[in-house]
Amino acid sequence: MELKNKRWTEEEFFKVREEVLNSWPTGKDVDLQEAVDYLKKVPEEKNFAIKLKKAKEAKVTLAQPRAGVALIPDHIELLNFLDKEGGADFLPSTIDSYTRQNRYEECEVGIEESEKAGRSLLNGFPAVNHGVKGCREVYESVNLPVQARHGTPDSRLLAEIIHAGGWTSNEGGGISYNVPYAKSVSIEKSLRDWQYCDRLVGFYEEQGITINREPFGPLTGTLVPPSMSNAIGIIEALLAAEQGVKNITVGYGQCGNLVQDVAAVRALEEQTEEYLEHYGYKDMVITTVFHQWMGGFPKDEAKAFGVISLGSIAAGLAGATKVIVKTPHEAVGIPTKEANAAGIRATKMALSMLGGQRMPDAKAIADEKAIIKAETKCILDKVLELGMGDLAIGTVKAFEQGVIDVPFAPSRYNAGKILPARDNVGCVRYLMTGNIPFSKDLLDFNRQRLEERGRYEGREVGFAMTVDDIFAVGKGTLIGRPEGK
Amino acid sequence: MELKNKRWTEEEFFKVREEVLNSWPTGKDVDLQEAVDYLKKVPEEKNFAIKLKKAKEAKVTLAQPRAGVALIPDHIELLNFLDKEGGADFLPSTIDSYTRQNRYEECEVGIEESEKAGRSLLNGFPAVNHGVKGCREVYESVNLPVQARHGTPDSRLLAEIIHAGGWTSNEGGGISYNVPYAKSVSIEKSLRDWQYCDRLVGFYEEQGITINREPFGPLTGTLVPPSMSNAIGIIEALLAAEQGVKNITVGYGQCGNLVQDVAAVRALEEQTEEYLEHYGYKDMVITTVFHQWMGGFPKDEAKAFGVISLGSIAAGLAGATKVIVKTPHEAVGIPTKEANAAGIRATKMALSMLGGQRMPDAKAIADEKAIIKAETKCILDKVLELGMGDLAIGTVKAFEQGVIDVPFAPSRYNAGKILPARDNVGCVRYLMTGNIPFSKDLLDFNRQRLEERGRYEGREVGFAMTVDDIFAVGKGTLIGRPEGK
Amino acid sequence: MEKKTVVLGVIGSDVHAVGNTILDYSLTNAGFNVVNIGVLSSQEDFINAAIETNADAIWVSSLYGHGEIDCRGMRENCEEAGLKDILLYVGGNIVVGKQDWDVVHKTFKDMGFDRVYPPGTSVEEGINDMKKDLGIA
Amino acid sequence: MEKKTVVLGVIGSDVHAVGNTILDYSLTNAGFNVVNIGVLSSQEDFINAAIETNADAIWVSSLYGHGEIDCRGMRENCEEAGLKDILLYVGGNIVVGKQDWDVVHKTFKDMGFDRVYPPGTSVEEGINDMKKDLGIA
Ligand code: B12
Ligand code: B12
């Protein structure tokens, strides 16, 4: 089957589906008609998509943690703890890293060893191994909507199992769950595999069941310039819409400069809606998710609370529909449930004390938003040009040519030619521009901003800045200045 | 001696001084000439006034905790801990409550009992009892500037002892350290006693030693409308300047709405400078201090971190020179040194990640600032009118007539006729306006804003709102809404 | 039924007035006759007010941390002044710092307080207890 | 003196690439010959690279929490493959969660790692240790 940005036919879908369900024993338990009946009984307050839509209408920012452990009872306990003791608005089920690589045998080992050790040896919930039954047990034992959060280039079986299990949202996308999470999966393959996941959601939509999809905005979480992640988010939204997805949450990882963060979220929301509209996708519900700082954290818990709270406030001021919460254990390891709940409480306190306030309109925000939109448009225009109008084909070519290029991505299908660094006020800019298709004005703008920093710090603009910036937040500042600056 | 806003003569000052120094045995150890020599040796980086001036020039926001225990060695250990483990930029010495009421005998008991118990039974450092020698021991054992923070209506002896002890800043003022901290001290008396403290600082200034003075901005810490605290801060700054004080930090306690907070700090700084200039005080160095939320805190430590961080961010965005830090133990009791250091670290992390960013210029800020300035001017105009041009006399009369009126103040010299409440976006407004000399426009504005809230909540504007607002932050929200709203 | 009388105040050199305002408001709303002697009140002030008004209970607030010193001997002083078996409640932030509540509770119980409340106690809880203790629940 | 060779990579199903980039950059700057096999590398990948390049040391990174499972038997596998006494270092966030460091350290020492580093270790520390261990300090 050739990759194209075109809705899969029933035939195409069901042919692939057979293969997918046969790839691991638990696949056989997915019965689509039975799943539709099951999902029809999900009450509104436990449907991810509906709760997001209502949050957007009410103009509130809701909080969601990350969390997942190997065994079902422990996982349920964890989720309910985050609801009751943390005050989470949405529940996650973070999937373990073996599942993400479709290595289900290793998951079996991890499950067994976890049972023996009495603690989770897996870094997440192995949903495929636990199957539809296990996922339903989780869904039925909690009071909030559940979403799978992972990083799986080929998430087709996972998607089948979780949705049939009552989980009404799936994070990921053909770019965002490949490039940061894989080394040797081609863009073509992951785009196609995620078309499957989207088509599955589209199928449910046609049966009257709304399911949320969420492209993973932060990518590598490390100094990704807003226009790059926004462009990818918009592409994934368009690809999903083509497959029939209606409820999409586009995401953004905090960069750290408040003006840039607010501008980026607003640009993302507006441009996503504009492009969907332009391509004629109707009745779409577009919401936004803001990820608290995704790069290296400070080890000290008090400092971590400072980072967490700043992220919450940025999310609130930007008007994001949802905020993904970090924890005071972030720098060290997967958090205890207590640390996780503490992160949510700090987040919700900051948000509720902000009381729905937005960043007041200001020229600085408008200017930054204009820059981000212009950069994003340059990328998207070029992608479409490369695909001769087909977004999927264009995306594959864009990666080949470094037109889309994610910094620090492990994927060998990513050019890895661009390098970011902060400017003198902490906004993330393009330092090495690789093959990014920007207008001369935009290239000059990025350069000028970085040179301003170079002058201030009395050093050349270069990779040393990037390295310093990578360590900066962990060490307690936003910008990695040379000593004494 | 009649109260007047006029610099005391040498004769007046030294006559009163004798009396002051005789009021407790340690007073005899203050030798002004020797103190001048001692203070001349204070290096720049340990001088509070100079460090503040430099911070203002460098446009950074520095952090200061509150802390004080009964015994000298423990107090020194505590302060050095807050420096090393917290990263404090300024050190405090919070004075115990007996000293604040000049009950030095009870301090002796507290000191003895603390020695016996092996823990501090006093809620602060009894500086008068420890005398010049004790204060110098503290000053000499730390690496940062030290300030006395208290709440003492008659702080004359305390001021003599701490300044001779090498502490280069004193918090307080004739209004701000009376009305929230005393029941039956007349305004006349406390204004006069603080003229003494200011004159002492003026005397040092004349000897070439710059000492900082800081009116206590937050007052009762409980829903004080910005214009009321700003008016009081400006009055205290003018009174201090008249006595020769040159380095003044005007203060503001976080109200919670970011726009109002930023506008209030900017209005405070600008109007203070305008009034000082108008009255011809030259070479003044005016800085600002922002107090993190001064009302009831949530008991949960994670939530407390959220409140602390939001306060830090508001301080940074407002461009305050200094922020006073709360701790995760705030709701429960005087913090351990660890909890105190954690509060500073969270604060500094949020500030340094903000990286010097200010709130971008916005119409909403300008509008709110205009309101605050207009209200403040109404109050100050009336005070001067009542004093027939004399600010000190006017202030006494203004209290008598409820022209200045601090909500929830224990003082019987405070009219207690105004009541505050939050409007529908969380700004603190005047609910009962008592005898506040506002123009009709301003009265209408306050009323309209509250009525907007009333409509939203479906209830009458009234005291129930105030009560709900008092508990709100402790319960996790900014505005005290009725249930289900 | 006759209104019960409560003497209310904040003990010692303590000026925290907000909680006191709220307690006054809530106790009054709950139907008690409130005699509020306010902040900065000595044991003597409490006792005198209780005698004068023939009070049924004394609510001592202490917020600022010196509660342990300020409350010492209060029961004995009540007895001496002839206030036999008057209900003595104390609440607020009654000791310095975050201490083990069981120990704090015992300390104040041993001093003769009938009820001892930790930080952040709701007014309703105190009122309900008092209604019970006065047999008007 | 001849350049020493270090095999560098991230073990198991782990894709954390940022630290790996930094380590590569810093080890190269410090004068080592770096053979970076990148993320998602199996024990076999490490061992093959070490044999092929006649390496002096292997730096294993594990960030994602499965380090304990992924590293098991690595020393034995090295020996079997003929890599006698090769320096084996491991660092990153090598176990799931915030655990007692002494226990974690011992676990990995017992597995045969020469040096075991906690989260947030600076690159310089590892480099200095290696210079010592290779006798080039
Ligand atoms: C950025 C990040 C990501 C990015 C990675 C992008 C990419 N492809 O590189 C994304 C978002 C994709 C991601 C995904 C995941 N992550 Co992640 N991630 C982080 C984060 C925030 C920063 C890592 C980083 O780049 N740091 C900066 C670099 C410079 O530092 P470093 O990696 O620590 O490396 C330095 C040192 O450790 C040391 N070092 C490393 N190895 C060695 C070896 C030797 C011998 C020596 C001497 C030194 C040394 O030197 C390095 C350079 O200075 C950390 C938490 C943190 N540290 O704050 C979590 C963290 C590592 N991730 C974690 C997890 C669980 C995951 C996920 C499983 C789940 C999830 N959150 O989705 C997936 C895993 C996917 C997979 N299969 O691996 C956990 C690991 C938990 C644990 N060990 O208990 C962490 C600790 C967060 C947490 N507390 O939960 N992550
Ligand atoms: C506002 C405030 C102030 C204001 C007070 C203004 C005023 N005149 O009222 C100002 C800024 C002036 C101030 C000053 C000081 N404060 Co103060 N203050 C607070 C704060 C933040 C809120 C208090 C409040 O108004 N809460 C809202 C009301 C409604 O709640 P409440 O007072 O707790 O009362 C309720 C309950 O406790 C209960 N309750 C109270 N008494 C009783 C009795 C009974 C029988 C019952 C059933 C219930 C009950 O019901 C009340 C109504 O709901 C608290 C910390 C906190 N709670 O977050 C610190 C706090 C009380 N202050 C403290 C201290 C140390 C001081 C100072 C000594 C030092 C300083 N920081 O400058 C001075 C003391 C001055 C003095 N001589 O008393 C400490 C006490 C420490 C301790 N016990 O270990 C606290 C706990 C802060 C801290 N963690 O350090 N403070």
Side-chain angles (χ1 to χ4, degrees), chain A residues 440-475:
Chain A
K440 181 161 180 315
D441 281 2
L442 290 172
L443 291 173
D444 288 350
F445 170 82
N446 275 275
R447 190 74 206 170
Q448 279 155 14
R449 284 303 179 100
L450 291 167
E451 269 167 3
E452 193 182 316
R453 171 176 173 187
R455 276 194 301 279
Y456 176 81
E457 294 180 355
R459 61 168 168 174
E460 292 286 301
V461 173
F463 187 53
M465 283 180 178
T466 313
V467 173
D468 290 343
D469 287 346
I470 287 173
F471 286 113
V473 171
K475 289 184 176 169

Side-chain angles (χ1 to χ4, degrees), chain A residues 368-436:
Chain A
E368 184 64 33
K369 198 168 77 176
I371 291 284
I372 295 171
K373 282 188 166 183
E375 290 182 352
T376 304
K377 186 167 181 305
C378 286
I379 299 173
L380 293 175
D381 282 354
K382 186 76 189 176
V383 171
L384 283 161
E385 185 195 312
L386 290 173
M388 297 194 296
D390 187 286
L391 191 61
I393 298 171
T395 300
V396 173
K397 295 217 169 121
F399 269 99
E400 280 166 10
Q401 302 190 12
V403 161
I404 304 180
D405 193 349
V406 177
F408 307 106
S411 171
R412 74 165 60 106
Y413 293 91
N414 184 70
K417 291 259 163 64
I418 75 155
L419 266 185
R422 294 192 184 280
D423 68 16
N424 210 35
V425 297
C427 293
V428 176
R429 305 288 176 203
Y430 293 85
L431 164 64
M432 278 168 52
T433 48
N435 206 14
I436 300 300

Side-chain angles (χ1 to χ4, degrees), chain D residues 64-122:
Chain D
Y64 71 151
H66 291 182
E68 210 174 328
I69 302 185
D70 295 334
C71 291
R72 227 174 262 166
M74 181 140 186
R75 174 58 76 188
E76 292 74 16
N77 294 335
C78 284
E79 302 275 325
E80 259 173 45
L83 290 171
K84 295 263 172 268
D85 302 327
I86 190 165
L87 276 184
L88 268 187
Y89 285 17
V90 64
N93 302 66
I94 60 179
V95 288
V96 172
K98 208 169 187 171
Q99 296 183 31
D100 181 2
W101 178 246
D102 292 339
V103 177
V104 173
H105 187 256
K106 188 169 178 314
T107 309
F108 281 80
K109 277 293 217 177
D110 289 349
M111 281 190 216
F113 284 87
D114 298 292
R115 301 258 183 190
V116 187
Y117 297 95
T121 302
S122 78

Side-chain angles (χ1 to χ4, degrees), chain A residues 199-266:
Chain A
R199 188 66 206 98
L200 177 64
V201 171
F203 174 86
Y204 279 117
E205 285 282 354
E206 287 148 22
Q207 316 301 310
I209 292 155
T210 181
I211 287 182
N212 172 255
R213 283 272 298 109
E214 178 183 335
F216 176 60
L219 301 164
T220 53
T222 307
L223 302 176
V224 182
S227 55
M228 186 53 69
S229 54
N230 281 9
I232 292 173
I234 293 166
I235 292 173
E236 292 191 352
L238 287 166
L239 295 174
E242 177 60 27
Q243 300 303 325
V245 174
K246 292 283 172 205
N247 190 295
I248 301 176
T249 307
V250 278
Y252 170 77
Q254 181 182 15
C255 281
N257 175 291
L258 208 52
V259 166
Q260 190 177 42
D261 285 337
V262 170
V265 173
R266 295 191 181 164

Side-chain angles (χ1 to χ4, degrees), chain A residues 279-434:
Chain A
Y279 285 98
Y281 299 110
K282 296 264 179 298
D283 307 321
M284 302 296 297
V285 177
I286 302 304
T287 49
T288 54
V289 54
F290 184 98
H291 293 251
Q292 292 176 0
W293 179 245
M294 287 292 289
F297 249 66
K299 249 175 119 168
D300 176 65
E301 298 193 12
K303 289 186 187 166
F305 274 119
V307 178
I308 287 169
S309 306
L310 179 58
S312 318
I313 291 161
L317 290 177
T321 324
K322 186 172 86 170
V323 59
I324 301 289
V325 176
K326 290 266 172 168
T327 83
H329 285 185
E330 176 63 15
V332 179
I334 294 198
T336 56
K337 57 183 191 304
E338 289 79 13
N340 208 333
I344 312 172
R345 289 201 303 275
T347 296
K348 294 204 64 170
M349 183 73 219
L351 280 172
S352 64
M353 214 173 144
L354 210 56
Q357 280 184 79
R358 298 281 177 266
M359 175 69 93
D361 285 325
K363 186 172 174 302
I365 305 275
D367 290 350
E368 184 64 33
K369 198 168 77 176
I371 291 284
I372 295 171
K373 282 188 166 183
E375 290 182 352
T376 304
K377 186 167 181 305
C378 286
I379 299 173
L380 293 175
D381 282 354
K382 186 76 189 176
V383 171
L384 283 161
E385 185 195 312
L386 290 173
M388 297 194 296
D390 187 286
L391 191 61
I393 298 171
T395 300
V396 173
K397 295 217 169 121
F399 269 99
E400 280 166 10
Q401 302 190 12
V403 161
I404 304 180
D405 193 349
V406 177
F408 307 106
S411 171
R412 74 165 60 106
Y413 293 91
N414 184 70
K417 291 259 163 64
I418 75 155
L419 266 185
R422 294 192 184 280
D423 68 16
N424 210 35
V425 297
C427 293
V428 176
R429 305 288 176 203
Y430 293 85
L431 164 64
M432 278 168 52
T433 48

Side-chain angles (χ1 to χ4, degrees), chain A residues 66 94-98 100-101 123-124 149-151 171 176-177 179-182 216 218-222 293-298 326-327 329-335 407-410 470-471, chain D residues 8-10 13-23 26 39-40 58-67 88-98 115 117-123 125-127 129:
Chain A
R66 293 189 178 82
T94 300
I95 307 301
D96 73 286
S97 291
Y98 294 136
R100 298 173 184 211
Q101 310 285 337
N123 61 10
R149 302 188 68 87
H150 38 122
E171 196 196 36
S176 64
Y177 266 11
V179 176
Y181 287 101
F216 176 60
L219 301 164
T220 53
T222 307
W293 179 245
M294 287 292 289
F297 249 66
K326 290 266 172 168
T327 83
H329 285 185
E330 176 63 15
V332 179
I334 294 198
F408 307 106
I470 287 173
F471 286 113
Chain D
L8 184 67
V10 186
S13 295
D14 192 336
V15 300
H16 290 90
V18 183
N20 177 263
T21 311
I22 301 277
L23 289 177
S26 309
V39 303
L40 286 170
I58 297 179
W59 279 34
V60 178
S61 291
S62 176
L63 282 305
Y64 71 151
H66 291 182
L88 268 187
Y89 285 17
V90 64
N93 302 66
I94 60 179
V95 288
V96 172
K98 208 169 187 171
R115 301 258 183 190
Y117 297 95
T121 302
S122 78
V123 193
E125 194 179 330
I127 292 178
D129 288 344

Side-chain angles (χ1 to χ4, degrees), chain B residues 66 94 97 100-101 123 150 180-181 216 219-222 294-297 326 329-335 408-410 470-471, chain C residues 13-19 22-23 59-65 89-97 117 119-123 126:
Chain B
R66 294 190 178 81
T94 300
S97 291
R100 298 171 184 212
Q101 310 285 338
N123 60 9
H150 40 123
Y181 287 101
F216 176 61
L219 301 164
T220 52
T222 308
M294 288 292 290
F297 249 65
K326 289 267 174 168
H329 285 184
E330 176 63 15
V332 179
I334 294 197
F408 307 106
I470 287 174
F471 286 113
Chain C
S13 295
D14 192 335
V15 300
H16 289 90
V18 183
I22 302 278
L23 288 177
W59 279 34
V60 178
S61 290
S62 176
L63 283 305
Y64 73 150
Y89 285 18
V90 64
N93 303 64
I94 60 179
V95 286
V96 172
Y117 297 96
T121 304
S122 79
V123 191

